[in-house]
């Protein structure tokens, strides 16, 4: 079991012990790939951890962008959090249906907005349920709470910045997609995207950072996965994936072993793969 850290990762045992703390807020950030045809909100309505609020990754986003679930404007994030009763002074625990898959994205969003007392629930809702812990189908009692936002611009990169990093090699670009997708051996799940990866990037599939029960590996084991993939950890990192979700699992893993100079490429392959003028590479890194 991973060591509990209220700023990165906490166990189901830790959450059960703190569930009634007055300043604890639990967030259900479940999200599924479109091909899975699952309704995360309907599943939340049917059962969730007591007191949990539902965080809609696709709605609490910049809907002006054609790209999916891009970082929301600061004002929108603040208003949605206030409506959810989440604000200054709260310890936040984010969980997803299983493991860190989508929960890490919301963990990173809170950190991007300057809120650091936020952790992912190790193993997610699946582990919580498997242990027979309490669940409910009741909506939470919400009281408005102001949230101060100090956006950390260095934690997110756009396509121009990533293209420069690819050319200059001054960042390690790390791709969280599966090996076959990274190499360009299979078609992308989103129609119209080219296959391959950003030139100069390394491949650390996010599921290699997890144990069989979807809990996260120890910090030393996490670091070893990055090193085995040829990542130069002395350089600042940019993480990427299909649409900016599992890239955040890599960010959480790096934070766990003490590396904090990372940023997320928010558009990820959904953006890069759609631009015919951007270079792509195939095969191994």
């Amino acid at each position: 079991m991973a060591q509990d850290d209220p700023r990165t990762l906490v166990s189901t045992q830790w959450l059960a012990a703190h569930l009634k703390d007055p300043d604890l807020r639990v967030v259900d950030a479940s999200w599924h790939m479109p091909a899975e045809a699952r309704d995360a909100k309907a599943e939340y309505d049917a059962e969730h951890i007591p007191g949990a609020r539902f965080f809609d990754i696709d709605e609490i986003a910049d809907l002006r962008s054609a790209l999916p679930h891009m970082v929301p404007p600061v004002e929108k994030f603040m208003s949605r959090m206030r409506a959810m009763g989440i604000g200054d002074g709260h310890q936040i625990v984010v969980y997803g249906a299983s493991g860190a898959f989508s929960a890490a994205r919301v963990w990173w969003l809170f950190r991007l907005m300057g809120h650091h007392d936020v952790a992912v629930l190790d193993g997610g809702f699946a582990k919580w349920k498997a242990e027979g812990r309490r669940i409910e189908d009741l909506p939470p009692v919400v009281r408005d709470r102001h949230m101060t936002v100090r956006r950390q611009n260095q934690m997110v990169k756009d396509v121009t910045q990533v293209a420069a990093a690819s050319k200059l090699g001054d960042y390690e670009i790390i791709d969280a997609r599966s090996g076959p997708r990274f190499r360009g051996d299979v078609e992308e799940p989103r129609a119209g995207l080219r296959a391959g990866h950003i030139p100069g990037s390394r491949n650390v599939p996010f599921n290699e950072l997890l144990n069989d029960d979807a809990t996260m590996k120890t910090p030393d084991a996490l670091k070893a996965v990055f090193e085995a993939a040829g990542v130069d950890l002395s350089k600042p990192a940019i993480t990427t994936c299909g649409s900016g979700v599992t890239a955040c699992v890599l960010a959480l893993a790096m934070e766990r072993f003490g590396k904090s100079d990372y940023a997320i490429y928010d558009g990820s392959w959904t953006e890069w793969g759609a631009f015919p003028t951007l270079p792509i590479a195939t095969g191994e890194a």
Side-chain angles (χ1 to χ4, degrees):
M1 185 174 67
Q3 182 178 356
D4 292 318
D5 174 11
R7 290 191 166 200
T8 56
L9 195 71
V10 296
S11 64
T12 51
Q13 182 178 353
W14 185 97
L15 180 58
H18 291 270
L19 198 56
K20 294 185 178 180
D21 289 3
D23 284 329
L24 180 81
R25 293 293 179 269
V26 182
V27 174
D28 184 326
S30 299
W31 179 84
H32 306 289
M33 290 289 289
E36 293 183 73
R38 291 177 63 179
D39 187 332
K41 178 59 164 60
E43 292 179 18
Y44 161 83
D45 289 339
E47 55 178 12
H48 52 259
I49 293 174
R53 285 95 163 118
F54 183 73
F55 191 112
D56 188 339
I57 288 175
D58 286 326
E59 196 283 323
I60 306 176
D62 186 354
L63 300 184
R64 301 166 300 181
S65 173
L67 297 170
H69 41 254
M70 294 286 280
V71 170
V74 166
E75 297 78 14
K76 182 174 185 178
F77 184 83
M78 290 174 67
S79 68
R80 294 296 188 273
M81 293 308 101
R82 182 167 187 165
M84 291 166 67
I86 299 173
D88 295 344
H90 283 149
Q91 168 66 52
I92 301 163
V93 175
V94 187
Y95 73 87
S98 178
F101 173 65
S102 57
R105 169 71 184 189
V106 174
W107 168 84
W108 171 78
L109 266 178
F110 276 109
R111 293 181 70 92
L112 175 68
M113 299 298 178
H115 192 100
H116 291 276
D117 294 325
V118 55
V120 169
L121 179 64
D122 200 21
F125 191 50
K127 188 171 191 292
W128 181 271
K129 282 181 63 181
E131 293 169 348
R133 300 189 186 274
R134 198 159 63 90
I135 59 175
E136 66 181 21
D137 60 1
L138 303 172
V141 176
V142 172
R143 297 178 180 87
D144 278 6
R145 183 113 160 210
H146 174 73
M147 173 173 279
T148 303
V149 169
R150 299 182 181 88
R151 193 177 191 271
Q152 308 297 303
N153 291 326
Q154 77 281 3
M155 292 184 65
V156 63
K157 300 293 184 185
D158 63 22
V159 65
T160 303
Q161 292 168 313
V162 176
S166 173
K167 185 176 293 185
L168 296 173
D170 52 347
Y171 284 80
E172 281 284 54
I173 302 173
I174 315 170
D175 194 322
R177 294 176 301 156
S178 68
R181 289 177 67 188
F182 178 83
R183 293 189 298 269
D185 294 343
V186 296
E187 290 186 4
E188 281 293 301
R190 286 180 173 83
L193 299 183
R194 298 172 297 163
H197 58 266
I198 299 168
S201 58
R202 302 284 184 178
N203 188 208
V204 177
F206 82 93
N207 55 7
E208 292 186 5
L209 303 171
L210 306 176
N211 298 308
D212 291 342
D213 63 354
T215 57
M216 190 161 265
K217 293 180 177 179
T218 66
D220 286 346
L222 293 171
K223 187 176 182 182
V225 172
F226 283 82
E227 291 173 338
V231 175
D232 183 352
L233 293 172
S234 69
K235 289 183 179 181
I238 297 171
T239 65
T240 182
C241 59
S243 65
V245 174
T246 58
C248 299
V249 180
L250 272 56
L252 176 62
M254 287 189 282
E255 195 73 49
R256 287 289 288 170
F257 62 75
K259 183 174 176 61
S260 58
D261 54 343
Y262 57 80
I264 304 298
Y265 172 25
D266 203 22
S268 282
W269 197 254
T270 301
E271 181 175 40
W272 191 282
F275 271 105
T277 56
L278 288 173
I280 62 170
T282 55
E284 299 290 349

